[in-house]
Amino acid sequence: MKKSCTLAFVLAWVLWTRTQGPTTDGWMGASGFQNQEKCLANMKEKLDLYRQFRDAKFTGNAVTFTENKTTMFFYCLPDSEDPRRKPTKRPGGTGELQEPPSK
């Protein structure tokens, strides 16, 4: 008698934050989201948190603080993708990773 074995493919999602400003340019990843929807919900929560700041300007998946000229970009990506390596296109509303214009 043959037994079939099914492999479950578990894909975790990472919420990446890129912070760019006059004195900083760095990436931070928060992993552990079970699916893209949960990652995007967490991104929305973070963006909503920054709405309380008067100098916060929002564009898509980014918030810019005009007083200190710092921008935070948020991206939800599968854990197999690392935006620090190369620009990546993601379907489904996660946006396209693009390098901001040079100053």
Side-chain angles (χ1 to χ4, degrees), residues 2-3 5 7 16 20 26 50 55 58 61 70 73-74 80 85 88 98-99 101-102:
K2 280 186 163 178
K3 289 186 179 181
C5 183
L7 294 175
W16 286 97
Q20 287 187 303
Y50 294 120
D55 71 325
F58 296 86
N61 62 331
T70 299
F73 301 89
F74 296 93
S80 60
R85 287 189 223 145
T88 306
Q98 297 177 353
E99 293 300 318
S102 22

Side-chain angles (χ1 to χ4, degrees), residues 1-13:
M1 195 151 120
K2 280 186 163 178
K3 289 186 179 181
S4 63
C5 183
T6 305
L7 294 175
F9 184 72
V10 179
L11 183 67
W13 286 79

Side-chain angles (χ1 to χ4, degrees), residues 37-72:
E37 291 77 25
K38 289 183 180 184
C39 185
L40 290 171
N42 190 266
M43 177 194 313
K44 182 185 177 314
E45 287 176 16
K46 291 194 181 316
L47 288 168
D48 287 345
L49 177 70
Y50 294 120
R51 294 193 191 283
Q52 67 184 317
F53 296 96
R54 285 183 279 153
D55 71 325
K57 305 295 179 204
F58 296 86
T59 307
N61 62 331
V63 58
T64 299
F65 299 98
T66 57
E67 287 182 20
N68 66 5
K69 298 179 179 132
T70 299
T71 302
M72 297 173 71

